[in-house]
C-alpha cells in the first residue's frame, strides 16, 4: 500500500530534492521498525502514556494527585510550588535513584520535613496506560498499570509494587518493573526522555565531557556499551566452553576412528570364515587350556588374598574390641567416679552431723565450767577473808609479844619464826591455788587445741588432694583443647603469612577486616567430637581451611602481594573476598533435621566473618552428617512416585561414617559418591569454657588450701605454746608444794617446842584462831566444790573424745574416698589420652583392609 504523495513522487521528474525524499521513503520502508505498532495518524497513543501521578509526604507536597492528558501537558507555578517535585516523583517511582533527581542524596531526604515525628515515610504512585498490542501482560494487569514506591523511615516496607487496573498488588520484583519499562520503552535515566534542570545546565553550559556523557545517555550508547561488554564476555565464555567441549570430543573422534578401523578389520573376517572354522576347535582347546591356567593362578592368588583379608579383619576386630573395651572401661570409671563423688559428699555430710553432735556434747561441759568460775570467785573471796583473819591474829600476837617484857630471847625468836613461817605458809597456799588453776587451764587449752589441730591438718591434706585432682583435670582439658595451631592448616608458609598480616594490621594498612586462616576460628562443639572428621570432609578438599578472607579489592591486592613475598604456591594460603555485610553478624542457620547433625551444628565459631565465609563458599548449612549409610537413608531419604529426594529443608548432601562417603539427589535420582581421601581432623574441640570453669575451681581450691594451711600453722603454734605453758606451770606447782611441805614441817616442830615451854598467859587469841580455822574451812569447802565440778567435767569428756574419734574415723574414710577418686581420675585421664592412639590403630587396620 502507498499513499498519493508516494505516487506523485514516482510520477514527477527526478530532482535532487525528490531523490532525497524518495531515498528517505525507501529507508523508512526498509526499516526494521516498520512492523512495530505505531499510533495511526489522528489516533491517540495507548501504551506507556502517563495517566496520573500521586504523591504523599513527598518533598513539599503533603498529598497531591495530578491527572495528565494523553498529549502535551504543561505544569506551571511559582518557585518552590513543587513543579520539580512532580518530575522527581516520576523518576523515583519508575526506578531512578535519589541522586538522579539532583534533589537529594538518598531517598529518606525526599520525605516531607514538615510531616512531623509521626510520619512513617513517603509514597509515590504513577499510573500508565496499558492498552493495545504493545501492552505489558494485559492478561494480568489489564488496561492500566500502577507503579507504587514506598519510602520508609522506620522498619516498614521500602520498595516497589506493581498494581493492576483494579489496584490489586501483582508483583514486588524489580525485574518485573524493568521488564515493563523495557516493553513500554520508558527510559527515566535518559536525559532526553526526562530532562531536569541540572541535566539541562550540563548540556547548555557544561564541559565537553559532560556533553559527551549526555550524548551517550541520550542515544543509549552507554547502555549499549554495557550490553556489548556483557555479550562479549558471554561470547568468550562460550568460546572457552566450546574449546573445552572440542577438546573433550577429540578422544571420542579418535576412538571412533579406531572403531572404524576395527570394523574394517571385522569385515575382513568374512573372507577368513573357512580358516576360522578349521582352526576354531584347536583355538578353543588352546584358549581353554590357557584360561584354565589363568583361573588356577587367580584361585591361588584369591586364596592368598582371602587369608590376608581374614588376618586383616581379625586385626581390625581386635582393634575395635580394644576400642570398645576401653570405652566400656571409660564408662565404668565414670560411673565409679560418680559413685565415689556421692560417697565423698555423704561422708562430708556425716562429718558435719558429728561435729554438730560434738557441739551438743560440749554444752554441759561449758555449763559446768561456768559454775566452776562462780566457785572460783567464791574461793577467791574466802581466801581474802582468810588472809584478813590471819593478819588480825598476827597483829594480836605482835601486841602480846610487845607486852611481854622480860620474856626470854629464845621465846621471842621462836614466836617470830612461827609467825614468819605461818605468813610464808599462807603465801605459799595462796600461790598454789592460782598455779593449779593455771595448770588445769593450760591442760584444758592443750586438750582443746590438739583435736582442732589434727582436724585442720586432715583438712589440709584433703584440700591438697582436691587441688591435685582439679589441677590434673585442668591439664587434661588443656591437652584436649583445640587451641589455634596455625601450622596445622597451611604449614610454615601459612604461619609466615599470618605473622605478616598481623604486622600490617597493627600498622593499620588494611582498609577492612582481614582474617586467616579460616580454620583458626573454627571449633568443634563439645560432645560432638565423633563427627569432627566427617564435618571437615564435608567442608571441601584440603586447603579449604587455610584461606585468608578480605572484604575489598585493595586488601585483596595487598594480601596477594604478601603471598608472593612469603613464597606461597598456587594452592597455598589462597585469598578470597567476601561482602562487607558478612562481617556484621553470623548468618542464621536452620536447626538440623531430627536424628541427624549438620556441619553448622557440629562446628562453631565466634568470628562472624569466618563462619559466613564457610556458609557462602562451602555450603556447610546444606550438608548433613550421620553415623552410617543406613541411618542417613532412614532419616533423610524420601522415595515416592516423583523419585528420590532429601528430607530436611536446605540439606543437599548427606555425609556418613566411617569413610566420609556421601549421597545426593538430582532430578529424582540418588547418586552415591565415595570418598577417596583419608579423613583427618585439624579443627580442635572448644574446651575454653570448661577450662575457664576448671581454672576458677583451681583458684578457689588454692585459696582454700592457703587459708587452711595458715589456720593449721596458727593452731600448731598455739598448741606448742599451750604445751610450753603447761610444763612451766607444772614446774611452778611442784616447787610451791615442796615449799609448803617444808614450811609445815618446820612450823610443826616450832609449835611443839613452844608447847613445851608454854606458860599461862593473860591474853587469849583463841577467837582469832577459830576465825582463821573457819576461813580455812570455807576455803576448803570451795576447793572441794571446785574439785567436784572438775570431776563432773572429766566424766563428760569421754563422750566428747568418743565423738571426736568418730569424726576422725569419718575423716579418714573420706580421705580414702578422695584418694580412690584421684586414682580413678588419673586412670580415666590415661584412657582418654590413649583413645586417639586406639582410634589410629583402628583406622590403620581399615586402611590395610
Amino acid at each position: 500500500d502507498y499513499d498519493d504523495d508516494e505516487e506523485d513522487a514516482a510520477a514527477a521528474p527526478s530532482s535532487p530534492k525528490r531523490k532525497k525524499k524518495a531515498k528517505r521513503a525507501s529507508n523508512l520502508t526498509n526499516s526494521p521498525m516498520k512492523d512495530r505498532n505505531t499510533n495511526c495518524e489522528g489516533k491517540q497513543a495507548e501504551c506507556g502514556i502517563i495517566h496520573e501521578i500521586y504523591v504523599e509526604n513527598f518533598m513539599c507536597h503533603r498529598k497531591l494527585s495530578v491527572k495528565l492528558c494523553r498529549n502535551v501537558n504543561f505544569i506551571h507555578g511559582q518557585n518552590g510550588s513543587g513543579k520539580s517535585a512532580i518530575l522527581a516523583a516520576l523518576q523515583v517511582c519508575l526506578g531512578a535513584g535519589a541522586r538522579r533527581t539532583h534533589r537529594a542524596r538518598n531517598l529518606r531526604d525526599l520525605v516531607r520535613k514538615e510531616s512531623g515525628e509521626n510520619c512513617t515515610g513517603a509514597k509515590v504512585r504513577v499510573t500508565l496506560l496499558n492498552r493495545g498490542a504493545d501492552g505489558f501482560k494485559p492478561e494480568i494487569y489489564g488496561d492500566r498499570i500502577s507503579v507504587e514506591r514506598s519510602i520508609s523511615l522506620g522498619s516498614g516496607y521500602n520498595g516497589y509494587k506493581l498494581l493492576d487496573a483494579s489496584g490489586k498488588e501483582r508483583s514486588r520484583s524489580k525485574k518485573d518493573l524493568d521488564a515493563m519499562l523495557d516493553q513500554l520503552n520508558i527510559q527515566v535515566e535518559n536525559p532526553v526522555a526526562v530532562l531536569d534542570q541540572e541535566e539541562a545546565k550540563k548540556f547548555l553550559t557544561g564541559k565537553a565531557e559532560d556533553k559527551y556523557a549526555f550524548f551517550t545517555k541520550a542515544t543509549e550508547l552507554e547502555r549499549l556499551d554495557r550490553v556489548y561488554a556483557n555479550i562479549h564476555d558471554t561470547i568468550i565464555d562460550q568460546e572457552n566452553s566450546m574449546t573445552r567441549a572440542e577438546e573433550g570430543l577429540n578422544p571420542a573422534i579418535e576412538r571412533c576412528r579406531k572403531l572404524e578401523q576395527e570394523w574394517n578389520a571385522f569385515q575382513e573376517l568374512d573372507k577368513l570364515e573357512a580358516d576360522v572354522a578349521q582352526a576354531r576347535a584347536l583355538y578353543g582347546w588352546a584358549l581353554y587350556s590357557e584360561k584354565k591356567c589363568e583361573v588356577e593362578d587367580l584361585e591361588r592368588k584369591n586364596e592368598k588374598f582371602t587369608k590376608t583379608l581374614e588376618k586383616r579383619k581379625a586385626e581390625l576386630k581386635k582393634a575395635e574390641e580394644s576400642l570398645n573395651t576401653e570405652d566400656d572401661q571409660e564408662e565404668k570409671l565414670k560411673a565409679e567416679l560418680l559413685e565415689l563423688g556421692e560417697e565423698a559428699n555423704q561422708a562430708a555430710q556425716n562429718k558435719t552431723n558429728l561435729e554438730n553432735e560434738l557441739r551438743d556434747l560440749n554444752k554441759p561441759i561449758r555449763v559446768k565450767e561456768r559454775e566452776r568460775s562462780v566457785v572460783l570467785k567464791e574461793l577467791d573471796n574466802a581466801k581474802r577473808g582468810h588472809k584478813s583473819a590471819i593478819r588480825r591474829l598476827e597483829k594480836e600476837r605482835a601486841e602480846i609479844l610487845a607486852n611481854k617484857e622480860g620474856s626470854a630471847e629464845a621465846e621471842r625468836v621462836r614466836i617470830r619464826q612461827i609467825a614468819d613461817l605461818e605468813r610464808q605458809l599462807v603465801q605459799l597456799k595462796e600461790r598454789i591455788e592460782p598455779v593449779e588453776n593455771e595448770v588445769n587451764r593450760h591442760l584444758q587449752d592443750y586438750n582443746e587445741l590438739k583435736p582442732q589441730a589434727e582436724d585442720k591438718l586432715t583438712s589440709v591434706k584433703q584440700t591438697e588432694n582436691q587441688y591435685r585432682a582439679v589441677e590434673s583435670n585442668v591439664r587434661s582439658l588443656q591437652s584436649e583443647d583445640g587451641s589455634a595451631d596455625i601450622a596445622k592448616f597451611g604449614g610454615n608458609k601459612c604461619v609466615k603469612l599470618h605473622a605478616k598480616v598481623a604486622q600490617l594490621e597493627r600498622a593499620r594498612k588494611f582498609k577492612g577486616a582481614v582474617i586467616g586462616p579460616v580454620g583458626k576460628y573454627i571449633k568443634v562443639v563439645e560432645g560432638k567430637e565423633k563427627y569432627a572428621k566427617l564435618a571437615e570432609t564435608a567442608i571441601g578438599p584440603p586447603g579449604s581451611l587455610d584461606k585468608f578472607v578480605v572484604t575489598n579489592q585493595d586488601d585483596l591486592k595487598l594480601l596477594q602481594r604478601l603471598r608472593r613475598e612469603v613464597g606461597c604456591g598456587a594452592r597455598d594460603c589462597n585469598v578470597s573476598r567476601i561482602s562487607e555485610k558478612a562481617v556484621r553478624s553470623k548468618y542464621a542457620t536452620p536447626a538440623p533435621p531430627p536424628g541427624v547433625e549438620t556441619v553448622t551444628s557440629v562446628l562453631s565459631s565466634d568470628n562472624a566473618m569466618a563462619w559466613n565465609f564457610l556458609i557462602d563458599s562451602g555450603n556447610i548449612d546444606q550438608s548433613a552428617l550421620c553415623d552410617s549409610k543406613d541411618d542417613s537413608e532412614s532419616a533423610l531419604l524420601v522415595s515416592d512416585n516423583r523419585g528420590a529426594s532429601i528430607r530436611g529443608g536446605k540439606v543437599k548432601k548427606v555425609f556418613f561414617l566411617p569413610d566420609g562417603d556421601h549421597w545426593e539427589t538430582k532430578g529424582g535420582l540418588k547418586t552415591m559418591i565415595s570418598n577417596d581421601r583419608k579423613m583427618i581432623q585439624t579443627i580442635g574441640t572448644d574446651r575454653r569454657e570448661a577450662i575457664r570453669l576448671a581454672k576458677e575451681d583451681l583458684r578457689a581450691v588454692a585459696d582454700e588450701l592457703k587459708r587452711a594451711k595458715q589456720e593449721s600453722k596458727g593452731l600448731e603454734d598455739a598448741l606448742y605454746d599451750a604445751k610450753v605453758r603447761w610444763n612451766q606451770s607444772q614446774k611452778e606447782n611442784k616447787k610451791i608444794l615442796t615449799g609448803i611441805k617444808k614450811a609445815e614441817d618446820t612450823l610443826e616442830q616450832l609449835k611443839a617446842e613452844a608447847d613445851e615451854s608454854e606458860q599461862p598467859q593473860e591474853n587469849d587469841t583463841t577467837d582469832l584462831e577459830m576465825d582463821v580455822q573457819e576461813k580455812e574451812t570455807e576455803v576448803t569447802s570451795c576447793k572441794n566444790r571446785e574439785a567436784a565440778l572438775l570431776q563432773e567435767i572429766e566424766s563428760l569428756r569421754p563422750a566428747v573424745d568418743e565423738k571426736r574419734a568418730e569424726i576422725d574415723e569419718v575423716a579418714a574414710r573420706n580421705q580414702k574416698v578422695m584418694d580412690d577418686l584421684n586414682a580413678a581420675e588419673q586412670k580415666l585421664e590415661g584412657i582418654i589420652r590413649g583413645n586417639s592412639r586406639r582410634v589410629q590403630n583402628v583406622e590403620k587396620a581399615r586402611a590395610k583392609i
Side-chain angles (χ1 to χ4, degrees):
D1 296 334
Y2 55 90
D3 53 22
D4 296 338
D5 294 337
E6 292 175 348
E7 186 176 357
D8 294 340
S14 62
S15 67
K17 291 184 178 179
R18 291 186 180 276
K19 288 181 180 179
K20 290 181 180 180
K21 185 176 182 181
K23 186 175 181 180
R24 286 197 299 270
S26 176
N27 290 337
L28 292 173
T29 303
N30 297 327
S31 172
M33 301 293 290
K34 68 178 182 177
D35 295 330
R36 182 177 177 87
N37 292 324
T38 58
N39 292 327
C40 299
E41 186 177 354
K43 184 178 179 182
Q44 294 179 337
E46 296 179 344
C47 293
I49 297 298
I50 301 174
H51 175 68
E52 181 182 4
I53 300 175
Y54 171 79
V55 298
E56 181 179 336
N57 289 331
F58 186 80
M59 293 181 70
C60 62
H61 296 295
R62 187 177 65 84
K63 257 185 191 179
L64 176 67
S65 177
V66 180
K67 292 188 177 180
L68 306 177
C69 66
R70 300 188 181 187
N71 296 312
V72 179
N73 295 268
F74 293 92
I75 300 175
H76 61 89
Q78 297 179 356
N79 288 340
S81 60
K83 304 184 297 299
S84 298
I86 298 174
L87 182 62
L90 177 65
Q91 291 175 286
V92 169
C93 190
L94 295 182
R99 293 180 181 272
R100 180 65 182 83
T101 66
H102 302 290
R103 296 291 176 176
R105 293 187 177 182
N106 55 67
L107 292 175
R108 294 189 176 187
D109 293 340
L110 296 174
V111 179
R112 184 169 175 265
K113 304 296 188 297
E114 295 81 3
S115 300
E117 296 180 355
N118 296 327
C119 177
T120 59
K123 181 191 297 181
V124 293
R125 184 171 62 245
V126 175
T127 303
L128 306 173
L129 295 181
N130 193 39
R131 299 173 182 169
D134 287 341
F136 178 70
K137 299 181 180 180
E139 70 280 1
I140 297 177
Y141 294 96
D143 59 356
R144 289 185 185 177
I145 298 178
S146 295
V147 181
E148 182 179 295
R149 185 166 190 179
S150 300
I151 304 173
S152 176
L153 295 178
S155 59
Y157 177 67
N158 202 348
Y160 300 94
K161 295 181 183 178
L162 295 182
L163 312 176
D164 60 11
S166 62
K168 183 178 179 182
E169 181 181 335
R170 290 294 185 177
S171 175
R172 291 191 177 187
S173 174
K174 183 69 164 55
K175 292 183 179 179
D176 292 342
L177 174 62
D178 294 338
M180 185 268 290
L181 296 175
D182 184 64
Q183 174 76 18
L184 302 181
N185 197 24
I186 297 174
Q187 305 169 17
V188 293
E189 299 284 349
N190 193 331
V192 174
V194 181
L195 182 62
D196 56 23
Q197 295 177 6
E198 296 297 327
E199 291 293 341
K201 289 178 182 178
K202 289 182 180 179
F203 178 69
L204 294 175
T205 62
K207 299 179 181 179
E209 293 84 356
D210 297 334
K211 291 183 179 181
Y212 180 75
F214 183 94
F215 169 75
T216 56
K217 290 181 181 178
T219 57
E220 295 194 26
L221 287 176
E222 183 181 19
R223 183 179 65 83
L224 291 175
D225 185 59
R226 289 197 302 268
V227 174
Y228 174 77
N230 292 333
I231 293 173
H232 181 69
D233 294 339
T234 304
I235 290 173
I236 292 175
D237 293 339
Q238 294 295 332
E239 288 177 351
N240 293 334
S241 299
M242 185 175 67
T243 302
R244 289 194 296 271
E246 288 177 353
E247 291 175 355
L249 285 175
N250 289 334
I253 294 173
E254 184 65 25
R255 184 181 177 188
C256 183
R257 187 179 297 109
K258 289 182 180 180
L259 290 174
E260 185 177 2
Q261 293 175 359
E262 291 178 0
W263 170 254
N264 294 331
F266 285 135
Q267 293 293 332
E268 295 293 331
L269 291 177
D270 294 337
K271 302 176 183 179
L272 301 174
E273 284 184 356
D275 295 338
V276 169
Q278 182 178 1
R280 185 171 292 147
L282 297 175
Y283 174 75
W285 285 106
L287 183 62
Y288 171 78
S289 177
E290 182 181 355
K291 293 299 179 183
K292 185 176 180 181
C293 294
E294 291 180 1
V295 167
E296 291 176 354
D297 187 27
L298 290 174
E299 285 179 350
R300 286 192 298 270
K301 290 182 179 179
N302 183 42
E303 184 178 358
K304 178 182 178 182
F305 288 148
T306 302
K307 292 179 179 179
T308 305
L309 178 61
E310 293 298 328
K311 182 180 179 181
R312 296 287 186 264
K313 286 183 177 180
E315 293 176 356
L316 175 61
K317 183 177 180 181
K318 183 178 179 181
E320 289 178 343
E321 287 177 353
S322 175
L323 183 61
N324 295 331
T325 303
E326 295 297 339
D327 290 340
D328 295 339
Q329 189 174 1
E330 181 179 353
E331 295 298 328
K332 183 178 179 182
L333 282 174
K334 288 181 178 178
E336 184 179 350
L337 283 174
L338 182 61
E339 182 179 354
L340 289 173
E342 293 177 353
E343 186 176 351
N345 293 333
Q346 183 64 34
Q349 184 63 35
N350 292 339
K351 183 179 178 182
T352 303
N353 295 336
L354 289 173
E355 288 175 348
N356 293 332
E357 294 177 2
L358 179 61
R359 283 195 293 272
D360 294 338
L361 290 174
N362 279 324
K363 287 180 181 179
I365 295 178
R366 295 192 188 97
V367 172
K368 296 298 182 181
E369 288 178 346
R370 285 195 292 270
E371 293 178 1
R372 179 170 172 266
S373 299
V374 174
V375 172
L376 288 175
K377 289 181 181 179
E378 294 178 358
L379 177 61
D380 187 51
N381 294 330
K383 285 181 179 180
R384 284 198 294 272
H386 181 248
K387 187 183 296 184
S388 177
I390 290 175
R391 281 198 298 272
R392 290 195 299 271
L393 179 60
E394 288 178 351
K395 184 178 180 181
E396 184 67 24
R397 286 177 175 175
E399 291 177 356
I400 293 172
L401 184 62
N403 293 329
K404 286 184 177 181
E405 295 180 359
S407 299
E409 183 65 25
E411 185 67 21
R412 287 198 304 270
V413 173
R414 189 166 44 250
I415 292 174
R416 190 178 295 110
Q417 289 178 350
I418 290 173
D420 292 340
L421 286 173
E422 286 179 347
R423 187 166 50 254
Q424 182 182 359
L425 187 60
V426 169
Q427 291 175 354
L428 290 174
K429 287 184 177 181
E430 288 176 355
R431 287 181 59 195
I432 190 63
E433 200 62 35
V435 172
E436 288 180 351
N437 293 334
E438 190 174 357
V439 171
N440 294 330
R441 181 168 59 81
H442 291 326
L443 178 60
Q444 183 178 359
D445 293 342
Y446 179 80
N447 291 332
E448 290 178 355
L449 289 173
K450 185 175 181 180
Q452 294 179 12
E454 292 175 352
D455 292 344
K456 185 56 64 176
L457 184 61
T458 303
S459 176
V460 168
K461 291 182 180 179
Q462 292 176 352
T463 308
E464 288 177 345
N465 293 335
Q466 185 179 2
Y467 180 82
R468 286 193 292 270
V470 176
E471 188 179 28
S472 175
N473 186 29
V474 171
R475 287 197 301 270
S476 176
L477 289 173
Q478 288 175 340
S479 65
E480 299 173 10
D481 181 35
S483 56
D485 185 3
I486 300 174
K488 294 190 299 184
F489 303 105
N492 294 328
K493 293 180 180 178
C494 189
V495 175
K496 294 179 181 178
L497 181 58
H498 179 269
K500 281 189 170 290
V501 169
Q503 182 180 358
L504 293 185
E505 276 186 327
R506 289 191 294 270
R508 301 181 182 273
K509 297 295 184 180
F510 291 103
K511 296 182 178 179
V514 180
I515 63 168
V518 174
K520 170 189 173 184
Y521 305 93
I522 308 300
K523 300 290 187 237
V524 179
V525 176
E526 189 171 2
K528 299 183 180 180
E529 291 83 356
K530 73 173 183 177
Y531 297 108
K533 294 182 179 180
L534 190 60
E536 203 162 329
T537 302
I539 290 176
S544 300
L545 296 175
D546 67 348
K547 293 185 177 180
F548 287 71
V549 185
V550 298
T551 58
N552 57 76
Q553 188 65 25
D554 294 337
D555 292 345
L556 183 66
K557 292 179 180 179
L558 178 57
L559 209 53
Q560 293 287 6
R561 180 172 63 81
L562 294 179
R563 287 184 69 252
R564 292 192 293 271
E565 290 179 1
V566 300
C568 291
R571 297 184 179 181
D572 299 330
C573 308
N574 289 318
V575 183
S576 297
R577 180 180 172 184
I578 193 172
S579 172
E580 292 184 358
K581 296 180 180 179
V583 183
R584 300 171 187 169
S585 60
K586 293 170 63 176
Y587 295 156
T589 54
V596 300
E597 298 286 349
T598 59
V599 179
T600 53
S601 67
V602 172
L603 303 180
S604 67
S605 177
D606 295 334
N607 188 286
M609 192 171 172
W611 185 255
N612 297 338
F613 171 73
L614 288 182
I615 292 178
D616 290 340
S617 63
N619 298 322
I620 61 174
D621 56 336
Q622 300 179 8
S623 300
L625 311 176
C626 298
D627 292 332
S628 64
K629 178 174 177 291
D630 296 337
D631 292 344
S632 66
E633 293 177 346
S634 174
L636 298 175
L637 183 60
V638 178
S639 299
D640 50 24
N641 297 331
R642 293 175 293 180
S645 61
I646 298 178
R647 181 190 299 114
K650 292 186 67 175
V651 175
K652 303 297 182 185
K653 296 181 180 180
V654 182
F655 292 80
F656 53 86
L657 295 170
D659 300 321
D661 302 335
H662 75 276
W663 56 269
E664 55 188 62
T665 59
K666 291 183 180 179
L669 298 177
K670 175 189 169 187
T671 306
M672 180 69 67
I673 297 95
S674 298
N675 177 34
D676 298 331
R677 295 182 289 109
K678 180 181 178 181
M679 293 199 303
I680 59 174
Q681 179 181 351
T682 56
I683 300 174
T685 304
D686 190 359
R687 303 283 193 192
R688 290 175 295 177
E689 182 63 20
I691 291 174
R692 184 184 67 80
L693 295 176
K695 286 185 176 180
E696 289 181 359
D697 293 341
L698 185 63
R699 286 193 292 271
V701 174
D703 294 340
E704 183 181 355
L705 179 60
K706 181 178 179 181
R707 186 170 55 254
K709 285 184 176 180
Q710 291 175 351
E711 293 176 357
S712 178
K713 179 71 166 53
L715 287 173
E716 288 178 356
D717 293 342
L719 184 65
Y720 176 78
D721 293 340
K723 189 173 183 180
V724 170
R725 290 193 296 271
W726 179 39
N727 291 332
Q728 290 176 350
S729 59
Q730 276 187 322
K731 291 179 181 179
E732 183 69 18
N733 185 40
K734 185 176 181 181
K735 180 179 179 181
I736 293 172
L737 290 175
T738 303
I740 290 174
K741 182 70 170 62
K742 182 178 180 181
E744 286 178 346
D745 293 342
T746 304
L747 182 62
E748 185 178 356
Q749 182 180 357
L750 290 174
K751 284 183 178 182
E753 293 176 357
D755 290 339
E756 292 178 358
S757 61
E758 187 177 12
Q759 298 294 332
Q761 298 179 5
E762 298 177 356
N763 295 323
D764 188 7
T765 59
T766 304
D767 294 336
L768 294 176
E769 291 176 353
M770 290 180 64
D771 190 14
V772 171
Q773 290 179 357
E774 288 177 359
K775 295 299 181 182
E776 288 181 353
T777 303
E778 186 178 351
V779 170
T780 304
S781 174
C782 290
K783 289 182 178 180
N784 293 335
R785 288 168 57 194
E786 182 193 3
L789 289 173
L790 285 175
Q791 186 176 2
E792 291 180 3
I793 291 172
E794 293 300 326
S795 65
L796 293 174
R797 289 195 182 279
V800 174
D801 296 338
E802 182 179 356
K803 191 60 64 179
R804 282 179 176 162
E806 292 181 8
I807 293 174
D808 294 340
E809 182 181 356
V810 170
R813 187 162 59 251
N814 192 17
Q815 179 63 34
K816 184 178 182 303
V817 171
M818 291 300 297
D819 293 341
D820 295 341
L821 186 64
N822 292 333
E825 286 180 347
Q826 293 176 359
K827 191 173 182 181
L828 179 60
E829 180 181 355
I831 291 175
I832 292 175
R833 288 179 177 175
N835 188 37
S836 59
R837 177 177 51 79
R838 293 188 293 273
V839 171
Q840 290 177 358
N841 292 337
V842 172
E843 291 179 351
K844 288 181 181 178
R846 287 176 178 162
K848 289 180 179 179
I849 291 179

